[in-house]
């Protein structure tokens, strides 16, 4: 039975047995996982190609990476505020409302992204200075951030289009599109970095060009091919939808702001340790992200599935699926953690030729491997709670965990242990975060005493 048929069973209030639930979870998760991995590979390509230009070039990108994550994360509140409502509307079989929510999301992206792009572009050369970058990397960091800033509307459009399609249960097209983006990124990077000799700025131009192409493709797919979202609907805001978008998306933006500013604070701590530490830290973060992308894939599927279950008032089914996704994520992330531990040196060597960077980065990945299972659980649970419309608690828990544990410990441990101390703090915090989110899921979806196996 196809995923579309299984999703229809949710909307039609038909029962799904354990095998059908597993099948539905995997059918929606694997394209989302491939999409996330492709996005990370794109970052690896950028870092790897730029790494061939030297440690300073790598540090220039690494210095502002946390800033781009902050902007992308905060803007996610706009997209999720409407996509979560869309999945619930589809679950309730109100397809015209779903199409209307999609159009409201597009209007919101247009209104929010352009001023944000102008603001970030105006600050692009000041931010690297504020982050404590060494003079040798400031110009390249500023140029990279400037190109990224001017492309923010397309980054937001790409995220919205992906979330909207996934909310309908279509994870394959966004997954294929992100693979396309990865391939385009390779081609554009080869052109801009090496053929036109634009260096670090060329990496930004390559990534931005691929994002523009794919975001326009996905938007076109929404209006031409998607059976739910292509339906006729007015291009105007509805007060109830906007209020709900603020209620759902506001805490998500706050949560991402908390996380993003924490990454910037960590970058500030790491930058005080020197260019070598910045490069090793940046490469290790990028390599690690390849390993935890499966959790984000499960989270994307969870938001769509739980959203449709809640919209269809299938409370017991939402509980079963929520815990099944969590167990599968922990299992997958345990495997990924083992992979990262075993191949830590090879992962860093793909990104840098510097022996010192490779040695330090591989040690950091070995440490981080022990945080992956519970970190994966927290990622999946955030997706589960978003589908339910519960976005305030994740913001609170992230604040407690990241600022109360990670930043405090990073600052304290960086003094005697340097970069290794920062990563010790991160490993400890990610495990704490996973436990906190498991408690929250237990409150939101109380498990039965006799829960079924994975």
């Amino acid at each position: 039975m196809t995923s579309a048929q299984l999703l229809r069973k949710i909307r039609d209030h038909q029962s799904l047995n354990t095998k059908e639930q597993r099948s539905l979870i995997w059918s929606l998760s694997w394209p989302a996982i491939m999409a996330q991995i492709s996005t990370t590979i794109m970052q690896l390509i950028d870092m790897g190609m730029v790494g061939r230009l030297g440690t300073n070039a790598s540090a220039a990108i690494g210095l502002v990476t946390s800033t781009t994550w902050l902007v992308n994360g905060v803007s996610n509140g706009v997209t999720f505020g409407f996509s979560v409502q869309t999945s619930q509307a589809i679950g309730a079989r109100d397809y015209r409302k779903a199409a209307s929510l999609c159009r409201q999301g597009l209007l919101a992206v247009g209104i929010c992204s352009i001023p944000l792009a102008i603001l970030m572009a105006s600050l692009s050369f000041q931010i690297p200075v504020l982050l404590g970058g060494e003079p040798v990397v400031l110009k390249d960091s500023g140029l990279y951030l400037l190109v990224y800033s001017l492309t923010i509307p397309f980054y937001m459009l790409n995220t919205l289009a992906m979330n909207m399609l996934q909310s309908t249960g279509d994870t394959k097209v966004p997954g294929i599109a992100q693979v396309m983006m990865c391939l385009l990124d390779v081609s554009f990077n080869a052109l801009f970095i090496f053929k036109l000799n634009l260096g670090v700025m060329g990496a930004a131009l390559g990534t931005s060009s691929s994002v523009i192409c794919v975001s326009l493709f996905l938007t076109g797919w929404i209006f031409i091919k998607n059976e739910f979202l292509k339906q006729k609907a007015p291009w105007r805001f509805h007060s109830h939808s906007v209020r709900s978008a603020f209620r759902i998306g506001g805490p998500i933006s706050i949560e991402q702001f908390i996380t993003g500013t924490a990454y910037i604070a960590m970058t500030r701590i790491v930058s005080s340790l020197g260019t070598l530490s910045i490069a090793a830290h940046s490469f290790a973060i990028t390599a690690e992200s390849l390993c935890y992308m499966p959790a984000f894939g499960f989270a994307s599927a969870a938001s769509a599935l739980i959203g449709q279950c809640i919209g269809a008032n299938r409370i017991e089914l939402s509980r079963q699926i929520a815990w099944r996704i969590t167990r599968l994520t922990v299992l997958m992330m345990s495997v990924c953690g083992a992979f990262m531990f075993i191949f830590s040196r090879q992962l860093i060597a793909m990104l840098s030729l510097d022996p010192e960077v490779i040695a330090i980065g591989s040690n950091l990945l070995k440490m981080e491997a022990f945080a992956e299972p519970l970190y994966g659980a927290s990622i999946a649970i955030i997706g589960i709670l978003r589908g339910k419309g519960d976005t305030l608690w994740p913001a609170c828990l992230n604040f407690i965990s990241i600022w109360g544990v990670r930043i405090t410990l990073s600052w304290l441990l960086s003094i005697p242990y340097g970069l290794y101390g920062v990563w010790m703090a991160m490993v400890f915090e990610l495990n704490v975060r996973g436990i906190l989110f498991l408690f929250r899921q237990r409150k939101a979806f109380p498990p039965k005493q006799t829960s079924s196996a994975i």
Side-chain angles (χ1 to χ4, degrees), residues 24-25 28-37 80 83-84 87 159 162-171 174-175 178 293-308 325 329 376 379-387:
L24 183 56
I25 291 169
L28 294 185
S29 295
W30 76 259
I33 291 171
M34 292 306 300
Q36 295 292 339
I37 291 175
F80 276 108
S83 65
V84 169
S87 66
T159 302
M162 281 185 57
N163 289 343
M164 282 295 173
L165 290 170
Q166 289 171 348
S167 71
T168 68
D170 180 2
T171 57
Q178 300 314 298
M293 283 303 107
F296 281 104
F298 279 114
S300 296
S303 294
L305 283 172
I306 300 300
Q308 292 204 24
I325 288 175
T329 304
I379 293 171
I381 292 170
I382 286 175
I384 290 166
L385 295 176
R386 282 177 181 172

Side-chain angles (χ1 to χ4, degrees), residues 119-188:
L119 174 64
M120 288 300 300
S122 67
L123 297 174
S124 57
F125 287 93
Q126 285 74 43
I127 289 173
V129 177
L130 295 174
L131 292 175
E134 296 184 5
V136 71
V137 304
L138 292 180
K139 180 181 177 181
D140 280 340
S141 287
L143 288 171
Y144 186 91
L145 195 56
L146 175 63
V147 174
Y148 161 78
S149 299
L150 296 175
T151 322
I152 285 174
F154 293 97
Y155 277 93
M156 289 185 66
L157 180 61
N158 180 62
T159 302
L160 177 71
M162 281 185 57
N163 289 343
M164 282 295 173
L165 290 170
Q166 289 171 348
S167 71
T168 68
D170 180 2
T171 57
K172 290 184 180 179
V173 170
I176 293 170
Q178 300 314 298
V179 174
M180 287 169 51
M181 185 188 295
C182 181
L183 296 175
L184 287 171
D185 192 43
V186 174
S187 302
F188 284 131

Side-chain angles (χ1 to χ4, degrees), residues 162-289:
M162 281 185 57
N163 289 343
M164 282 295 173
L165 290 170
Q166 289 171 348
S167 71
T168 68
D170 180 2
T171 57
K172 290 184 180 179
V173 170
I176 293 170
Q178 300 314 298
V179 174
M180 287 169 51
M181 185 188 295
C182 181
L183 296 175
L184 287 171
D185 192 43
V186 174
S187 302
F188 284 131
N189 276 354
L191 171 64
F192 291 120
I193 296 176
F194 300 113
K195 192 172 182 63
L196 298 180
N197 199 30
L198 294 177
V200 171
M201 188 175 73
L205 287 169
T207 301
S208 295
S209 298
S210 60
V211 169
I212 291 171
C213 292
V214 171
S215 64
L216 294 175
F217 166 77
L218 287 175
T219 304
W221 190 273
I222 283 175
F223 291 108
I224 297 172
K225 292 291 187 179
N226 188 270
E227 64 174 310
F228 302 106
L229 304 181
K230 70 179 182 180
Q231 298 187 32
K232 290 184 178 181
W235 284 84
R236 65 172 182 268
F237 288 112
H238 296 280
S239 58
H240 176 74
S241 300
V242 172
R243 286 196 299 270
S244 295
F246 273 107
R247 177 181 58 80
I248 296 170
I252 291 175
S253 290
I254 293 171
E255 171 204 331
Q256 293 298 316
F257 180 79
I258 291 167
T259 305
T261 51
Y263 286 145
I264 291 176
M266 283 193 64
T267 300
R268 189 67 183 86
I269 294 171
V270 173
S271 67
S272 67
L273 303 175
T275 300
L276 179 64
S277 290
I278 295 174
H281 176 77
S282 178
F283 283 136
I285 287 287
T286 304
E288 183 220 0
S289 64

Side-chain angles (χ1 to χ4, degrees), residues 56 71-72 84 93 96 98 107 128 139 145 162 167 173 178 199 202 314 338 340 345 349 368 408 440:
N56 287 338
V71 175
N72 287 337
V84 169
R93 304 182 72 172
R96 181 175 171 81
L107 290 173
K139 180 181 177 181
L145 195 56
M162 281 185 57
S167 71
V173 170
Q178 300 314 298
R314 304 290 301 275
M340 186 167 69
R345 189 173 187 85
E368 188 70 6
T408 303
R440 178 56 196 167

Side-chain angles (χ1 to χ4, degrees), residues 10-11 13 86-95 307-309 311-312:
I10 292 177
R11 299 191 293 271
H13 288 261
T86 301
S87 66
Q88 292 180 356
I90 291 172
R93 304 182 72 172
D94 191 346
Y95 305 138
Q308 292 204 24
C309 285

Side-chain angles (χ1 to χ4, degrees), residues 16-89:
L16 273 74
N17 59 37
T18 299
K19 182 179 179 180
E20 288 174 327
Q21 289 182 35
R22 290 176 188 155
S23 175
L24 183 56
I25 291 169
W26 278 111
S27 64
L28 294 185
S29 295
W30 76 259
I33 291 171
M34 292 306 300
Q36 295 292 339
I37 291 175
S38 297
T39 301
T40 305
I41 289 174
M42 187 166 66
Q43 296 174 1
L44 291 171
I45 290 167
D46 279 355
M47 297 295 288
M49 287 183 164
V50 173
R52 269 49 184 175
L53 302 176
T55 301
N56 287 338
S58 302
I61 294 181
L63 184 64
V64 295
T65 296
S66 56
T67 302
T68 62
W69 287 355
L70 171 62
V71 175
N72 287 337
V74 171
S75 63
N76 280 346
V78 178
T79 61
F80 276 108
F82 289 98
S83 65
V84 169
Q85 293 183 79
T86 301
S87 66
Q88 292 180 356

